[in-house]
Amino acid sequence: MTPVQLVPRSVAKVWGRRQPGFGFAQAASGDDPIGEIWFEEPDHRSGALLVKYLFTSERLSVQVHPDDAEARALGHPRGKDECWVILKAEPGAQIGLGLKAAVAIDTLRLAALDGTIETMLDWREVSPGDVYYLPAGTIHAIGAGITLIEIQQNVDLTYRMYDYGRPRALHLEAALRVARPEPWQAPTQPYVLADARRIVADGHKFVVEQWSGARAGTLAPGTAAWIVPLSGHGRIGDAPVEPGQAWLADEQHSLDYNGELLVAYPGSKVTEGLWVSSR
């Protein structure tokens, strides 16, 4: 396979921004705000993971995603775990992760109907560099004033529970069937391997690593990964790589980069020897 530069696609959202920043073009006059940039494979191919940028000016809906079994029972290819890497946050910006305390499903239903679910969420302030992994079933919402990268299982499947009175469809009963009405707990803690790979998410549906500094080499044989530059510059094969892009590459392609990268791949376990240095 040749290295694949993933194609960015702007997705309008009511809670988005007209000027997303981070090198992305502003919304055209008369267009809706840009909420997300999706990085997709050419020719509409659908890999296991999807990379997005999100830009918020208002709170997103209180929502939840189904797991693999629940999604496949409805004809979808997979469920949706997701991982957020915070890039920018205005002072006091928050995300809601899980509930402050466990509640019964009937209590959760009533809270979604009368809006008090918003106060039941565990809202926490965020800062650039924070990383959160959300297993499917986690009740969540992203607040205003945040730019983040989301790496997720590749499926467009969201159940809205509450949307602050916006005129958009809700999916309350579907959400209640898959939601975990309980506090969120970080499933993993970041750690660093001997080859200076920082593992920020593992043990679930995909692994996310952060690589910093200068690196030259290849991925290990038989591996492929989504590569998201955060800072710096370099090349994959003969192609220039810089922030604001996303790539899909394997062991056939040399990587020579100086800066910070996110590297993600499917599976619950960290791939030992993923990086083969040429230095």
Side-chain angles (χ1 to χ4, degrees):
M1 121 180 179
T2 58
V4 176
Q5 183 174 2
L6 303 177
V7 179
R9 176 167 67 90
S10 297
V11 179
K13 295 289 184 180
V14 65
W15 42 259
R17 295 190 214 137
R18 303 203 61 78
Q19 296 181 324
F22 284 80
F24 296 106
Q26 68 182 36
S29 178
D31 287 353
D32 292 330
I34 297 170
E36 302 177 347
I37 304 288
W38 293 25
F39 286 88
E40 301 173 316
E41 295 184 49
D43 303 322
H44 304 290
R45 288 174 290 177
S46 179
L49 301 181
L50 175 64
V51 174
K52 298 178 180 177
Y53 277 71
L54 273 71
F55 316 95
T56 71
S57 64
E58 302 176 9
R59 284 186 174 182
L60 277 67
S61 63
V62 180
Q63 59 187 244
V64 69
H65 310 294
D67 65 18
D68 285 354
E70 294 154 345
R72 287 170 180 157
L74 298 173
H76 298 279
R78 59 187 66 88
K80 184 178 173 183
D81 280 21
E82 56 192 347
C83 181
W84 299 336
V85 180
I86 307 298
L87 299 182
K88 184 178 179 180
E90 296 177 2
Q94 297 179 318
I95 59 174
L97 281 178
L99 304 181
K100 296 174 184 175
V103 300
I105 287 294
D106 286 345
T107 301
L108 186 64
R109 177 185 286 106
L110 291 174
L113 290 171
D114 67 16
T116 55
I117 190 172
E118 187 178 0
T119 65
M120 294 169 64
L121 277 174
D122 184 6
W123 292 97
R124 57 189 74 198
E125 291 192 11
V126 296
S127 300
D130 290 349
V131 180
Y132 302 91
Y133 189 98
L134 284 69
T138 303
I139 301 168
H140 61 276
I142 301 173
I146 295 173
T147 300
L148 62 82
I149 288 176
E150 177 176 299
I151 299 172
Q152 60 161 89
Q153 289 181 277
N154 191 2
V155 66
D156 188 15
L157 187 56
T158 297
Y159 297 149
R160 295 190 197 104
M161 306 179 72
Y162 175 71
D163 200 28
Y164 320 100
R166 295 173 182 140
R168 299 195 296 175
L170 298 178
H171 320 93
L172 181 55
E173 293 307 317
L176 293 171
R177 287 194 294 271
V178 305
R180 300 176 182 176
E182 61 192 20
W184 173 87
Q185 294 183 337
T188 58
Q189 295 296 327
Y191 60 95
V192 179
L193 299 179
D195 55 0
R197 294 156 50 201
R198 182 172 184 258
I199 312 302
V200 298
D202 71 343
H204 289 270
K205 296 300 179 180
F206 55 89
V207 176
V208 180
E209 307 189 7
Q210 285 181 314
W211 297 0
S212 299
R215 288 179 180 265
T218 63
L219 298 177
T223 62
W226 280 254
I227 297 175
V228 187
L230 300 181
S231 66
H233 56 87
R235 306 186 74 83
I236 295 179
D238 295 328
V241 176
E242 60 186 21
Q245 300 176 345
W247 292 77
L248 181 57
D250 64 15
E251 78 276 6
Q252 300 178 49
H253 317 118
S254 61
L255 171 66
D256 191 341
Y257 200 86
N258 189 2
E260 185 175 5
L261 300 167
L262 295 176
V263 180
Y265 47 93
S268 62
K269 295 182 180 180
V270 171
T271 299
E272 299 295 336
L274 176 69
W275 177 247
V276 181
S277 177
S278 62
R279 292 177 174 169

